[in-house]
């Protein structure tokens, strides 16, 4: 028995993970875990948690769970970033060693992309899309919950790697053969492949779900060309997900087969070909960066008209540009490996296709500017993020164009120029967009408004910190500093700029803390949103109370044009004014179910077993998955009825029902 | 088991104005389309097999011809058996599928192009 | 369900689409097939690139026997036909026929899987395991993924059979049968490309 | 007013940022290796970069100005005299304009991009190159000179004014071979051999590094390129051939170990350390086949 325990401890906590930072993290997690369990037990909230949240199929609640996960992951990824920057502050001074640094930049990149940006956009999809298209729910509510739990357990599997067994350490791109067992014998890379596979299934399902929702569930009268622009962006994003995630799944699965079952795809010998992984990864990876930017574009297309009090400029060209970005996004992936010798014809072709994306993107930028032109701009926090986005993203896009100039990329590839470029678009585009959407839709999601003054403080810290961090990194790129170095020697002239950059990162960190303070403060003291329409909005979600009731619309609206709610308000004819008691019918709603949670848990158990090659556990998890699927197949009792009286009562309490 | 009794209530349940939603049942008869589809699918397969076994053409041409036969077979399955053009919102069935075919072939073609292209500094 | 936003067809539509909610699920299933198609496309791309990377192992020409493969093709084509008839029987509202043709489909599918496994066993017993070369890895994973899909399909068909027996033809079971048939035909299409692109073209010098 | 102040602050911020860039770039010293290339390849890449940078600066300027004007003129304050046009939502010519202008600018960048891409794939026709076979190992560089029959580790000698043709491969995870002063990088990958040519036009010692992360001691994969006159180069090869030890297969296997080493020189090298292309790349002397020889697989740590 002691021998077994020793084995267990040695496998789960191998010597090289017993370092101060990791022990600290272990301790933190333990304390937080005990704290949560204690609070839930103390206030007898277990049942509440299970019945109201863990089993929910309501898209609005799923949105909130996505949001919590995303903010937690922003924190985790941000702490990683601060560790990276601290290590690089001075030459040859390294608070964390190479081993940990490699783990930290890997988890930073992976978490920020897959477990921060993705759930964040899904939070907004879930919170907004059904309301904007005038629908009671998404097309497949249960699949929606399944997506969430697959994502959540994928994220948990990825995060426990830091405390159990050791994190992946081959970059967020996970290029072989570095990820093969010969070079990476620990469990880290298995964690990486398995957690991304699990979360990836969830993401693919989300893509299908929202695509079908938008295709089939729009309110009558909402033709394609009357959809709010955010809906268009989600439609194109979902299509991107559907076509982009399968190659990732294949790339990850093949790597896993190599690691676990000895196949020879990406090995050094045996005719293995690592470049195929690179090809498949970027077949996914490039569309992925548009997956995270298009929703941000959609958000800005809602925020700008609202706060400029003016219709969106160039609706048709906005749609054309979204759709062409969607198509072009599939045709550019080779720009991530121009330097893999595919030859001048291939490189020239993909260089040009990459440049082409600038055209539709530019159209959007100019359309936003001209939406503001002739408007009346109210500078709220949501609008401020948009106003920071335009200059920031244009610089990031411009430096991207310089990378697409093939010979220039020969020099700039994998240098800090690239690091600066992608933070410029990821933070300046995606994160600013998501934060803008967060402030904009927060009242709709939670029923109160985030304090604007505090929000502005967080905003300025974040934006100034951003430029101080990443502007110097362009110059570091020109100085020839390559990425993923855990430290650097003195004498290359890299130290001043690195120090400035580190300083900026801490300013950003302060901005994040201000943001969290803003949320926590507003939870208690924030102004309630009683009208349901705090910003004088233009689209249907603002026609509902905040937060929207479980059934969203007591009666499905009929749509006559773009900005339907704005038109209603202009004609003095809002929905609330003419909902008569006899319009309200008994509704059929999806019933809560524990299956999605159990499914996610089973995947988690199976994934954990496979990571450590503990086959009984892996098989147990697999059986759990089968059991969940069987349960789902034979479960016909998935609907509940919401009586018309209850709905009338709710609507009346909001003052939305005619007497 | 009750031979399809359960449908009748549902047929009555169709709302006025939505009569087209009334379930359409196939008239009893013989599944000619399916049988012909089956025969053609066998023909296409054996054509490809025979061409290859007897090396009927130069390799490149042969490859092209058997791939074309496979495509024909796919079209047959989609049209006859998967009833691709029936249903509601068929545009939304055809569009993604067409796109998927395009992307699938582009993906395979470009991967070959990128990975097998002979490079060299000359 | 609310009035749908898509333009509606003028003439009556096939029975499995009659229920709004179930027809949405069919649309969803088409989208799933799209993702699966891209998965297979990626695997085909892998195979295409790895075809010549045989290392010290056998080449396609040396490895493949067409005999079992032709048998597999016949079995799968026939099963595609039988499930087609099952859907036809569903549309003419004859539940008993549906059950019969569904069982036939499963039997043919099982025949396919057994033939494929015995074929794989023959290859590996000659030492052609996937460890040997990139080509063999690509081959086993492409063909094996398809085989796994068929196996999964058979298990799905079993659950379907049980539901059909219990509940007869309802909007829900009709939709489930129809999506299953889509899945099965889709696997047939994939197999045709495997047969053509892997086996037949492996025999072209 | 709060709103007025915050947008003014935004503008001031931008001005400051622009000034900062200007200062840092104009005051740049020799550490900006990409801006001070020492050979024709790096020079043509720099020219292209500068060209693209100017085009991008124009775009950025246009967007910033338009955006600035919009923000300043159309804020929502009482008595704003500028026209308020809430229903103005499209303009055919404007929208066409911003499809066309970026397209034109891109076309202007695209032409030289394509030209230089093809040009860099060709060796200069008149001169015959020095060939060097480069293998990246964990975490060191092996350079074999097939014509001079010598080999080095972690440093290179090349003649000035003569193109050098590198053949790049790896007997380890991927790296990129990069000498920023001379020109762009190219991957070293197991199972493939990629060509890259560079040329030094001035004598000097230039540092190189790997651009692709390859494990724990990746950071230490610096090497030095000594660009010397042709005669000095010949003398150097003679010296190696006469005084350095030969590289045996056993010595190569020593290099395969997961560690870092200093500079080393060899008077010869075995043929089997270079991949053979038959059957999709095999390597009889190296790690490709000798899995059992793989010294310490846990050396990641
Ligand atoms: C949100 C994410 C996002 C977005 C939107 C983009 C957008 C773009 N990216 Fe970026 N990119 C990344 C995220 C993103 N990227 C990431 C994460 C990496 C690195 C991954 C890794 O290796 O780890 C990367 C890497 C990367 C590379 C590879 C670098 C290398 O490794 O060598 C290249 C090369 O071409 C590139 C190019 C571009 C281009 C041309 C755009 C264009 O879409 C930009 C278009 C926008 C504009 C141009 C601005 C607005 C336009 C106008 C105002 C109109 C007028 C403009 C012109 C006429 C030019 N990116
Ligand atoms: C959306 C994606 C995203 C986001 C938001 C960020 C945000 C940040 N990133 Fe990230 N980054 C990536 C995506 C992202 N990054 C990717 C994909 C890579 C490539 C990885 C790879 O190479 O594989 C990368 C790599 C990367 C590197 C290069 C590492 C290397 O190559 O060696 C650096 C270095 O400066 C860096 C810095 C930062 C900083 C300072 C932030 C800041 O914005 C972070 C701001 C901070 C916070 C938001 C949280 C603050 C937390 C606190 C204040 C809490 C403090 C409390 C305690 C310490 C207990 N990132
Ligand atoms: Cu910069 Cu000289
Ligand atoms: Cu990209």
């Amino acid at each position: 028995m002691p021998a077994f325990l020793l084995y267990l401890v040695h496998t789960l906590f191998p010597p090289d993970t017993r370092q101060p930072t990791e022990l600290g993290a272990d301790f933190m997690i333990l304390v937080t875990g005990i704290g949560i369990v204690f609070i839930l037990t103390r206030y007898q909230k277990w049942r509440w948690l299970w019945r109201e949240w863990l089993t929910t199929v309501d898209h609005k609640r799923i949105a909130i769970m996505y949001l919590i996960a995303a903010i937690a992951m922003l924190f985790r990824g941000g702490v990683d970033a601060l560790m990276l920057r601290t290590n690089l502050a001075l030459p040859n001074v390294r608070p964390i060693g190479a081993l940990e640094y490699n783990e930290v930049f890997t988890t930073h990149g992976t978490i920020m992309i897959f477990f921060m940006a993705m759930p964040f956009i899904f939070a907004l999809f879930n919170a907004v899309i059904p309301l904007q298209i005038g629908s009671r729910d998404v097309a497949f509510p249960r699949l929606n919950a399944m997506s969430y739990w697959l994502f959540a357990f994928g994220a948990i599997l990825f995060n426990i790697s830091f405390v159990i067994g050791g994190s992946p350490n081959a970059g967020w791109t996970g290029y072989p053969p570095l990820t093969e067992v010969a070079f990476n014998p620990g469990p880290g890379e298995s964690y990486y492949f398995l957690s991304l596979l699990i979360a990836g299934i969830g993401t693919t399902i989300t893509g299908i779900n929202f695509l079908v929702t938008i295709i089939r569930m729009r309110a009558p009268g909402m033709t394609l060309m009357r959809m709010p622009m955010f809906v268009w962006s989600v439609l194109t994003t979902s299509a991107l997900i559907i076509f982009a995630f399968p190659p990732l799944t294949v790339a990850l699965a093949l790597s896993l087969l190599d690691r676990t079952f000895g196949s020879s795809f990406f090995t050094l010998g045996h005719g293995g070909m690592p470049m195929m992984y690179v090809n498949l990864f970027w077949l996914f990876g490039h569309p992925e960066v548009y997956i995270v930017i298009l929703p941000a574009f959609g958000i800005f297309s809602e925020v700008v008209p609202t706060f400029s009090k003016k219709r969106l400029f160039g609706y048709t060209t906005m749609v054309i540009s979204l759709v062409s970005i969607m198509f072009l996004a599939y045709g550019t992936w080779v720009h991530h490996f121009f330097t893999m010798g595919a030859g001048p014809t291939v490189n020239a072709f993909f260089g040009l296709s990459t440049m082409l994306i600038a055209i539709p993107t530019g159209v959007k930028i100019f359309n936003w500017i001209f939406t503001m032109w002739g408007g009346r701009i109210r500078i709220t926090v949501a609008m401020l993020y948009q106003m920071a986005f335009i200059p920031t993203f244009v610089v990031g896009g411009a430096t991207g164009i310089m990378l697409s100039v093939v010979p220039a990329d020969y020099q700039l590839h994998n240098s800090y120029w690239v690091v600066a470029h992608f933070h410029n678009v990821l933070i300046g585009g995606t994160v600013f967009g998501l934060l803008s959407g967060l402030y904009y839709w927060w009242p709709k999601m939670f029923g109160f408004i985030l304090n604007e003054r505090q929000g502005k403080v967080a905003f300025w810290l974040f934006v100034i910190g951003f430029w101080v961090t990443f502007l110097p990194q362009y110059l570091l790129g020109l100085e020839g500093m390559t990425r993923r170095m855990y430290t650097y020697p003195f004498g290359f002239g890299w130290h001043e700029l690195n120090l400035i950059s580190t300083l900026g990162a801490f300013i950003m960190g302060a901005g994040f803390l201000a943001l969290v303070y803003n949320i926590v403060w507003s939870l208690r003291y924030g102004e309630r949103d009683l009208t349901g329409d705090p910003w004088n909005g233009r689209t249907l979600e603002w026609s509902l109370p905040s937060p929207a009731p479980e059934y969203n619309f007591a009666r499905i609206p009929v749509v006559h044009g773009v900005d339907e709610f704005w038109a209603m308000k202009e004609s003095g004819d809002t929905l609330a004014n003419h909902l008569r008691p006899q319009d309200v019918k008994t509704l059929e709603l999806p019933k809560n179910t524990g299956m999605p949670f159990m499914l996610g848990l089973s995947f988690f158990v199976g994934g954990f077993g496979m990571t450590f090659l503990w086959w009984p556990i892996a098989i147990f998890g697999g059986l759990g998955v089968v059991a969940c699927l069987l349960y789902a197949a034979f479960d016909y009792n998935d609907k509940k009825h919401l009586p018309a009286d209850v709905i009338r009562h709710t609507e009346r309490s909001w003052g939305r029902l005619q007497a | 088991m009750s031979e399809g009794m359960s449908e009748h209530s549902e047929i009555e349940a169709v709302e006025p104005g939505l009569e087209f939603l009334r379930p359409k049942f196939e008239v009893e008869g013989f599944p000619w389309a399916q049988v012909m589809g089956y025969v053609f699918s066998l023909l296409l397969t054996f054509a490809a097999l025979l061409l290859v076994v007897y090396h009927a053409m130069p390799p490149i041409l042969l490859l092209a011809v058997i791939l074309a036969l496979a495509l024909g077979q796919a079209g047959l399955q989609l049209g006859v058996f998967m009833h691709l053009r029936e249903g509601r919102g068929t545009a939304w069935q055809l569009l993604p599928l067409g796109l998927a075919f395009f992307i699938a072939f582009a993906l395979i073609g470009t991967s070959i192009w990128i990975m097998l292209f002979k490079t060299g500094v000359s | 369900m609310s009035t749908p936003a898509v333009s509606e067809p003028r003439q009556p539509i096939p029975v499995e689409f009659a229920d709004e909610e179930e027809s949405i699920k069919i649309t969803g299933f088409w989208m799933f097939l799209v993702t699966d198609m891209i998965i297979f496309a990626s695997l085909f791309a892998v195979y295409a690139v790895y075809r010549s990377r045989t290392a010290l192992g056998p080449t396609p020409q040396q490895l493949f026997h067409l005999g079992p493969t032709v048998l597999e093709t016949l079995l799968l084509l026939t099963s595609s036909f039988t499930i087609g008839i099952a859907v036809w029987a569903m549309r003419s509202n004859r539940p008993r026929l549906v059950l019969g043709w569904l069982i036939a489909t499963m039997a043919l599918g099982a025949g396919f899987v057994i033939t494929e496994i015995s074929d794989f066993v023959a290859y590996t017993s000659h030492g052609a395991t996937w460890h040997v070369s990139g080509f063999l890895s690509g081959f086993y994973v492409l063909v094996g993924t398809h085989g796994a899909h068929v196996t999964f399909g058979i298990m799905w068909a079993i659950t379907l059979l049980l539901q059909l027996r219990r509940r007869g033809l309802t909007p829900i079971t009709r939709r489930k049968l129809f999506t299953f048939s889509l899945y099965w035909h889709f696997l047939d299409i994939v197999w045709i490309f495997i047969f053509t692109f892997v086996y037949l073209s492996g025999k072209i010098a | 007013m709060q709103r007025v102040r915050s947008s003014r602050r935004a503008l001031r911020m931008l001005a400051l940022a622009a000034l900062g860039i200007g200062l840092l770039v104009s005051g740049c010293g020799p550490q900006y290796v990409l801006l001070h290339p020492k050979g024709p390849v790096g020079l043509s890449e720099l020219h292209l970069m500068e060209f693209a940078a100017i085009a991008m600066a124009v775009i950025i300027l246009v967007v910033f100005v338009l955006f600035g004007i919009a923000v300043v003129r159309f804020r929502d304050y009482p008595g704003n005299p500028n026209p308020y046009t809430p229903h103005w939502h499209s303009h055919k010519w404007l929208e066409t304009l911003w499809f066309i202008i970026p397209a034109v600018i891109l076309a202007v960048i695209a032409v030289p991009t394509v030209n230089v891409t093809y040009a860099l794939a060709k060796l200069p026709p008149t001169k015959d190159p020095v060939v060097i076979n480069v293998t990246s190992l964990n975490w060191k560089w092996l350079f074999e000179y097939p014509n001079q029959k010598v080999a080095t580790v972690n440093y290179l000698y090349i003649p000035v004014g003569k193109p050098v043709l590198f053949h790049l491969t790896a007997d380890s995870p991927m790296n990129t071979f990069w000498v920023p002063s001379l020109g762009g990088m190219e991957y070293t990958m197991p199972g493939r051999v990629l060509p890259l040519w560079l040329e030094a036009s001035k004598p000097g010692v230039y540092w190189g590094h790997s651009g692709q992360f390859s494990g724990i001691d990746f950071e230490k994969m610096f090497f030095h390129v000594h660009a010397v006159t042709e005669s000095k180069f010949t003398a150097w090869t003679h010296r190696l051939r006469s005084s350095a030890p030969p590289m045996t297969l056993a010595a190569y296997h020593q290099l395969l170990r997961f560690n870092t080493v200093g500079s080393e020189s060899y008077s010869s090298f075995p043929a089997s350390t270079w991949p053979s292309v038959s059957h999709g790349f095999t390597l009889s002397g190296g790690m490709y086949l000798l899995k059992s020889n793989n010294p310490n697989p846990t050396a990641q740590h």
Side-chain angles (χ1 to χ4, degrees), chain A residues 571-591:
Chain A
S571 65
D573 173 32
T574 61
L575 265 191
N577 294 340
H578 56 224
L579 185 67
R580 294 160 307 169
Q582 63 267 36
D583 294 334
V584 176
K585 302 229 167 60
T586 295
L587 295 179
E588 224 184 22
L589 294 178
K591 205 158 136 182

Side-chain angles (χ1 to χ4, degrees), chain A residues 282 285-287 289-290 329 332-336 354 421:
Chain A
W282 290 114
H286 188 79
V289 306
Y290 290 95
T332 68
W333 74 95
V334 176
H335 68 217
H336 292 278
T354 304
H421 154 68

Side-chain angles (χ1 to χ4, degrees), chain B residues 1-8 10 15 18-32 34-39 41-42 45-46 48-50 52-53 55 57-60 62-63 65-75 77-78 81-84 86-90 92-93 96-105 107-109 111-113 115-116, chain C residues 1 3-4 6-21 23 26-27 30-31 33-34 37-38 40-42 44-45 48-49 51-52 61 66 70 73-74 77-85 87-88 90-97 99 164-165 167-171 174 178 181-183 185-186 188-189 192-193 195-197 199-201 203-205:
Chain B
M1 197 178 344
S2 59
E3 284 273 309
M5 284 314 288
S6 56
E7 277 74 30
H8 292 293
E10 148 208 349
E15 285 175 38
L18 297 177
E19 281 83 5
F20 61 85
L21 289 185
R22 175 168 300 155
K24 178 187 96 178
F25 290 104
E26 209 90 22
V27 229
E28 308 220 349
F30 190 75
W32 280 112
Q34 280 83 348
V35 172
M36 291 314 291
Y38 181 49
V39 171
S41 70
L42 289 180
T45 305
F46 277 99
L49 182 66
L50 291 179
V52 170
V53 170
H55 296 287
M57 308 162 194
I60 296 293
L62 192 54
L63 194 64
V65 169
I66 61 174
L67 279 176
L69 288 176
L71 265 178
Q73 175 87 265
Q77 294 284 336
L78 283 166
F81 288 111
M82 296 169 86
H83 309 283
L84 182 63
E86 297 170 16
R88 295 160 82 171
T90 40
W92 287 110
Q93 227 152 271
L97 200 74
L99 206 60
F101 263 96
F102 173 73
I103 289 183
F105 281 97
L107 193 164
I108 297 168
S111 292
I112 296 174
W113 184 42
M115 316 279 293
L116 296 185
Chain C
M1 273 296 128
T3 337
V6 283
S7 62
E8 290 295 350
R10 295 290 124 78
Q11 72 270 58
I13 44 176
V15 59
E16 65 274 8
F17 291 95
D19 186 277
E20 166 81 8
E21 204 182 322
S23 85
I26 294 175
T27 311
W30 274 105
M31 301 303 162
L33 286 186
V34 164
M37 203 162 138
I38 306 295
F40 277 110
S42 309
F44 270 107
V49 171
R51 231 163 68 119
S52 56
Q61 199 133 16
L66 281 186
V70 172
T73 311
L74 277 180
L77 280 177
T78 311
S79 76
S80 187
F81 168 66
T82 54
I83 192 70
I85 298 290
V87 167
W88 172 83
M90 170 196 84
R91 284 183 171 187
S92 22
N93 207 18
R94 288 191 278 190
R96 241 188 278 273
L97 268 184
L99 286 186
L164 280 168
R165 279 191 52 146
R167 295 166 194 275
L169 289 172
T170 68
R174 277 197 296 250
F178 188 70
S181 82
L182 290 182
Y183 180 78
H185 295 304
F186 167 73
D188 191 43
I189 296 178
I192 290 302
F193 280 99
F195 179 63
T196 308
F197 191 71
Y199 291 107
L200 286 186
S201 81
K203 286 290 172 193
I204 301 176

Side-chain angles (χ1 to χ4, degrees), chain A residues 16 98-99 102 105 169-171 175-178 181-185 267-271 273-275 278 308-315 317 320 336 339-341 344-345 347-348 352 355-356 358-359 363 365-367 369-370 372-379 384 386-387 390-391 394-395 398 401-402 404-408 410-415 456 460 463-464 467 471 475 477-480 482-489 492-494 497 566 570, chain D residues 2-3 6-7 9-10 13-14 17 21 24-25 31-35 42 45 48-49 52-53 56 59-60 62-64 66-67 69-71 73-76 80-91 94-95 98-99 102-103 106 109-110 113-114 116-118 120-121 138 171-174 176 178 180 182-187 189-192 194 207 209-216 218-220 222 258 280-281 287-288 291 294 297-298 300-301:
Chain A
D16 48 72
L99 185 67
N102 299 344
F105 75 68
N169 57 9
Y175 282 9
L178 190 56
V181 217
F183 304 100
N184 234 321
T267 45
L268 279 185
H270 300 279
M273 193 179 193
M275 188 176 172
V278 176
S308 307
K309 266 207 260 177
K310 185 164 163 285
R311 226 177 113 176
L312 181 67
F313 191 85
Y315 184 96
T317 39
I320 294 173
H336 292 278
T339 50
M340 277 193 185
T345 313
N347 280 358
L352 298 191
M355 289 178 189
L356 275 183
I359 298 172
V363 167
I365 301 273
F366 291 117
N367 277 344
I369 293 179
F370 275 76
M372 295 160 73
W373 201 280
R376 283 293 174 265
I377 303 169
R378 277 180 294 155
I379 299 179
L384 270 178
Q386 193 275 344
M387 286 162 56
I390 288 193
V394 168
V395 170
I401 295 296
M402 290 180 65
S404 73
V405 173
V406 181
Y410 292 166
Q411 278 282 34
L412 295 171
H413 179 62
N414 274 355
S415 72
K456 282 178 186 165
W460 284 111
V463 172
I464 293 171
W467 280 107
L471 209 54
L475 303 176
L478 296 179
E479 292 182 345
T482 48
R483 61 195 285 204
R484 296 170 174 170
M485 292 167 90
Y486 78 104
T487 188
Y488 50 91
F492 285 81
W494 297 343
L497 292 168
W566 185 259
E570 276 195 329
Chain D
Q2 165 81 23
R3 292 168 192 149
S6 51
S7 62
R9 237 184 308 169
M13 260 277 300
L14 293 176
I21 308 177
L24 281 163
V25 173
Q31 76 268 33
Y32 288 87
V33 279
L34 264 54
L35 304 181
E45 285 160 350
L48 212 52
M49 239 187 280
M56 290 306 109
I59 288 284
I60 291 175
V62 169
V63 173
F64 277 29
L66 276 178
F67 175 66
I69 296 175
V71 172
R73 285 187 64 198
F74 297 105
R75 266 163 303 115
D76 186 18
N80 184 340
N82 297 302
Y84 174 48
T85 51
H87 293 287
W88 185 55
H89 64 84
S90 69
H91 190 290
L94 275 179
E95 289 174 60
W98 49 71
F99 265 104
L106 288 178
I109 309 176
T113 299
V114 174
V116 177
T117 305
Y118 275 97
L120 288 182
N138 273 315
D171 203 356
S172 71
M174 296 181 190
T176 71
W178 190 27
L182 300 184
M185 65 183 81
E186 186 94 347
Y187 274 84
M189 292 187 282
R192 286 207 103 172
L194 299 181
W207 60 267
H209 191 242
S210 166
Q212 174 66 25
F213 175 70
S214 60
I216 195 101
F218 156 72
E219 180 267 327
K220 302 209 178 72
F222 282 99
F258 291 53
F281 292 96
M287 192 131 65
Y288 285 16
K291 270 266 161 72
N294 175 354
T298 56
Q300 257 283 308
H301 295 205

